[in-house]
């Protein structure tokens, strides 16, 4: 089963979805994890519940640990494989 077919099954869409639309579900921006860390850390500190900060830190470090040999992070990440990709592919 291809990555696109798996994604279609995950999002519960019919086979009539164009492949490019499915790919949009599979790619996300790397900056989101950094933004979540800031926002969810604040939420945890305000509520006294560390779960928000812990979840955001886990997402941030999942992306950070996938940086290149040069220490660079791609601007997009494939949600299935975890590989950094240029956005729009």
């Amino acid at each position: 089963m291809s990555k696109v077919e798996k994604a279609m099954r995950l999002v519960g869409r019919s086979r009539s979805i164009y492949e490019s639309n499915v790919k949009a579900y599979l790619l996300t921006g790397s900056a989101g994890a950094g933004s979540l860390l800031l926002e969810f850390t604040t939420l945890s500190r305000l509520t006294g519940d560390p779960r928000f900060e812990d979840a955001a830190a886990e997402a941030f470090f999942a992306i950070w640990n996938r940086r290149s040999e040069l220490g660079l992070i791609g601007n997009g990440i494939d949600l299935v494989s975890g590989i950094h990709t240029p956005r729009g592919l």
Side-chain angles (χ1 to χ4, degrees):
M1 182 180 306
S2 74
K3 193 187 310 185
V4 171
E5 290 170 333
K6 287 179 185 176
M8 288 170 67
R9 183 172 285 176
L10 286 173
V11 297
R13 304 289 182 156
S14 70
R15 290 195 178 273
S16 64
I17 282 187
Y18 294 107
E19 187 173 320
S20 62
N21 289 341
V22 174
K23 285 183 180 179
Y25 286 111
L26 297 175
L27 295 176
T28 190
S30 301
S35 176
L36 283 178
L37 185 59
L38 176 62
E39 295 169 17
F40 278 43
T41 297
T42 302
L43 182 60
S44 282
R45 305 282 167 88
L46 290 173
T47 62
D49 186 347
R51 292 180 299 163
F52 305 110
E53 183 176 357
D54 294 344
E58 185 177 335
F60 172 82
F61 284 110
I63 291 175
W64 179 255
N65 291 332
R66 288 178 173 86
R67 64 191 184 279
S68 73
E69 293 176 5
L70 298 174
L72 302 174
I73 296 175
N75 64 346
I77 190 165
D78 185 310
L79 297 176
V80 175
S81 67
I83 296 172
H84 287 283
T85 59
R87 294 275 290 179
L89 284 183

